[in-house]
Every structure is written in C-alpha cells, then in structure tokens.
Amino acid sequence: MAKVLVVTSGKGGVGKTTSTAALGAALAQTGKKVAVVDFDVGLRNLDLIMGAERRVVYDLINVVQGDAKLSQALIRDKRLENLHLLPASQTRDKDALTEEGVERVIGELKAEFDWIVCDSPAGIERGATLAMRFADVAVIVTNPEVSSVRDSDRIIGLLDAKTKKAEDGGRVEKHLLVTRYDRARAERGEMLKTDDVIEILSVPLLGVIPESEEVLKASNLGTPVTILSPLSAPGRAYTDAARRLIGDVVPMTIPAERRGLMTKLFGRRAA
Amino acid sequence: MTIFGFLRKRETASAVARDRLQILLSHERGIDGDPNLILALREEILRAIGKHVDIAPDKVRISMRRGDPVSTLEVEVDVPSAGAFRKAA
C-alpha cells in the first residue's frame, strides 16, 4: 500500500528540502520504491539538492496540465535506481496547480511507488495546502527556536483540518523531526530542548538531526546526506528516522559528531 | 537576592522560550486550523455574559490545549462578587 508523506513546517529555512532528500534517499536505501515531489512552484530547489538540476525536462505542472506524461517528467536518481524525482516548475505560478490535477498525479504515483514524499513550500498558502492535501503521513520539520515552533503549531492545526484525510473523518499520522539541534547549547539552557518542543506541540518524535557541516556539504555537492555520508551524525539520524517511518523500532539517540580523543576521554560520552 | 537566592534556579533562556510559547499557543490554537475562531468565541462569550454580569474583558480567558487523542477548549471566567449581577430585565 503506497504512502503519501508530506514534509512541512510553515516556516522557511528550517530544512524541509534537505530532509525530503535525505529521508527519500534513506527510504530508497531500505529497498522501497520512492518518488520525491517538489511542490515549491516558482522556487524549486529539490532538484538542486538532489543533484538533478541539469536533467529537468518536464515538471509537476506539465504533468498536472497534461502536457507531459508522468514517466517523462520523473527523473531517476543516478545513485539509487529506486529513487525518483518529480521536479517543480520554475517558470509558472502556483495557481497552475489545481487540486484535481494534483490528486490525479498523486494517484498515478501511488500505483507505481511505495512512498511519495512531498516537499512542501514554506507558508500556509495554496502551495503548502496542496502539498499536504492528500497526505497519509506528515513529517513536521522544526528547529528548536520560538518562531519555528509557533509556525509548526499552525501547520499541525492545518493538517488536522484541511487535509483530505481529516475531512473524511480520519487523521494524518504526524511525526516531529527536530533539525539543527545543538546538544551542547540545549544542555546549557540556551536552546529549547527536544522534550520542550515535543511537549508544546504534542506530536511524537521521529528523530533529532544535529547541526552539522555535513548537511551543507551535501547540499553543495547535490547528494542527499544519507547517500554522501551515511555514517555521519546527520546521516545516521536521518536513516534512523526513515526506519521509524517504515515501522522499525529504533532506539532514540541523538547521534553526535565524532569527537577528538581528549573529549572522548574527559568529555561527555556521545549518545 | 535573599540568603536562599542560591537555591532558586536562575531561569534559562530555554525556559523563558518554553513558557512564552505555551502561553502564546494556547491562545492562538484554533479549532479546524482556524486561529481566529478562538478570538470570535471569546467575543461572543463576553457579549453573552455581559448581558447579565458586569465583567471586564480580561476576566474571560479562552485557551486550546492540544492533546492526543482529545484536545480541550478551556474557558475561564472570573465572576465578580454578587453585587455585580444585574436584575434580569
């Protein structure tokens, strides 16, 4: 049974696209057939983060409007053969997306893939509401910072009210993904702790991605961090999160960066 | 600062952030994803009570607590002393 997953946050810049690419690749690494779909019309970036920016011919809007077949628009990842990308349009505006059109494309994707991972644009406008509209599962990406938590709360309200599943009397399964987490700062009381964020939002935790240079490096190189450096702290954290999504029970640890020998001997033990 | 000051925990920035968020979100949390609903409810409740009781607007507090599987809508009204009740017309 295919699952539609939306990666959403309300606030921009918290790591939705990075997380979509990393989770999509990690799901594909477990053997699932995965399509990642960019809903950010006019500001597409998932193609860039996936390293497929020069291979885009047709996009989501071409498929929605019937100018191209889904198979023509899907880009197969060069590293993982069961990972595909459906890019957003860079030239149209978001009004070119219709609910009926999106529903049809999602339906076609469901016939072919195990997971459809939708990268939502920021905000609570049409693009974001369409990205979440047909979701079965939502990953809410939140930074441990007040404005991000506030916007996540707003998005949670929308997931419970404006999705097809909610309107049909069901519930979108919600998961919290905390990104850019700095454990040292949280321990010093300078940053919201993961437990605070969970308590405020009342959404179960899917994973905690530590702040890491690896993530920026992965974006620069156009390779999802779970492919580029699967053993790095963020790589392991995303892989664990993806395994939890498919139902595996994985103990919740916050992978730490590798530390020097002195820190290992005299500092706090890494989780 | 009392001599027991050292026993009192200094509030960290994260504790302040948590408290501010909890207060803000309990007011902003909407039903059906509509944060304006709480505000509209509050005004109507104020009007309904105001017909019978003299009450200051800040004496009615409405908040939404999100929980799983149930969320609760909390309405808190500080009713003034008996003298404030008007005779029903």
Side-chain angles (χ1 to χ4, degrees):
Chain A
M1 186 61 201
K3 283 212 165 165
V4 180
L5 165 73
V6 63
V7 178
T8 186
S9 71
K11 190 173 192 302
V14 297
K16 282 183 298 295
T17 303
T18 310
S19 297
T20 301
L23 288 172
L27 286 167
Q29 283 167 326
T30 68
K32 304 284 180 193
K33 279 200 78 180
V34 180
V36 291
V37 184
D38 191 347
F39 273 80
D40 204 345
V41 176
L43 289 170
R44 75 170 175 222
N45 277 317
L46 187 57
D47 56 326
L48 191 59
I49 301 301
M50 303 274 296
E53 70 276 12
R54 294 172 59 187
R55 300 168 63 206
V56 176
V57 182
Y58 295 110
D59 58 53
L60 173 63
I61 291 193
N62 295 135
V63 182
V64 162
Q65 298 189 329
D67 306 329
K69 288 202 201 70
L70 179 61
S71 56
Q72 291 175 295
L74 281 168
I75 303 168
R76 175 182 285 208
D77 189 87
K78 281 202 154 91
R79 296 143 305 208
L80 291 169
E81 62 167 20
N82 51 347
L83 175 62
H84 291 71
L85 161 71
L86 182 54
S89 171
Q90 187 67 336
T91 51
R92 312 286 189 88
D93 61 31
K94 59 186 184 310
D95 297 337
L97 281 183
T98 61
E99 184 174 324
E100 298 71 28
V102 170
E103 185 166 26
R104 185 175 54 79
V105 173
I106 296 268
E108 281 184 51
L109 286 163
K110 278 173 111 168
E112 214 177 317
F113 293 94
D114 301 314
W115 285 87
I116 296 105
V117 186
C118 305
D119 184 19
S120 170
I124 51 173
E125 301 299 315
R126 189 186 171 81
T129 50
L130 273 176
M132 69 168 65
R133 181 73 187 148
F134 302 102
D136 303 302
V137 186
V139 167
I140 298 119
V141 182
T142 308
N143 293 166
E145 173 276 325
V146 287
S147 59
S148 173
V149 175
R150 182 196 203 174
D151 292 356
S152 289
D153 195 82
R154 186 73 195 277
I155 281 289
I156 290 164
L158 294 176
L159 286 165
D160 287 340
K162 306 280 184 211
T163 51
K164 188 88 175 53
K165 233 186 159 101
E167 284 176 9
D168 295 344
R171 290 181 80 103
V172 171
E173 186 187 308
K174 298 185 294 288
H175 300 276
L176 180 69
L177 186 68
V178 176
T179 53
R180 311 202 67 164
Y181 191 71
D182 184 329
R183 199 166 57 171
R185 297 198 71 189
E187 279 171 2
R188 287 198 301 268
E190 295 169 18
M191 187 186 253
L192 283 164
K193 289 188 169 63
T194 304
D195 288 346
D196 295 338
V197 181
I198 298 168
E199 187 195 347
I200 292 164
L201 296 176
S202 308
V203 171
L205 184 66
L206 180 72
V208 180
I209 315 299
E211 178 72 59
S212 163
E213 290 167 14
E214 271 323 295
V215 176
L216 179 61
K217 190 166 137 197
S219 298
N220 288 340
L221 299 174
T223 307
V225 72
T226 39
I227 299 177
L228 180 73
S229 39
L231 297 178
S232 66
R236 280 181 293 149
Y238 275 120
T239 301
D240 286 354
R243 285 185 52 206
R244 290 183 195 108
L245 277 175
I246 58 176
D248 290 358
V249 178
V250 185
M252 188 68 70
T253 56
I254 303 169
E257 295 290 2
R258 280 197 205 90
R259 299 163 178 221
L261 181 67
M262 296 305 276
T263 329
K264 271 201 182 124
L265 287 175
F266 304 108
R268 216 177 270 272
R269 285 296 305 274
Chain B
M1 187 79 178
T2 65
I3 51 163
F4 297 112
F6 67 93
L7 291 175
R8 215 184 303 139
K9 249 181 85 179
R10 229 182 68 243
E11 262 215 315
T12 59
S14 70
V16 175
R18 191 186 53 224
D19 295 346
R20 288 175 64 220
L21 273 169
Q22 271 165 334
I23 292 163
L24 172 72
L25 294 178
S26 73
H27 288 278
E28 257 185 13
R29 233 159 237 175
I31 302 158
D32 282 351
D34 180 2
N36 296 327
L37 204 56
I38 298 274
L39 294 170
L41 268 173
R42 187 170 168 273
E43 278 174 26
E44 290 216 24
I45 289 171
L46 260 173
R47 263 204 302 275
I49 294 174
K51 282 182 191 166
H52 308 280
V53 185
D54 278 325
I55 194 164
D58 61 347
K59 298 297 184 212
V60 176
R61 287 177 296 275
I62 298 190
S63 61
M64 180 87 164
R65 280 177 205 280
R66 185 178 293 133
D68 214 14
V70 217
S71 297
T72 55
L73 182 71
E74 214 171 85
V75 182
E76 204 180 331
V77 185
D78 295 345
V79 176
S81 60
F85 284 86
R86 296 188 205 131
K87 288 196 174 69

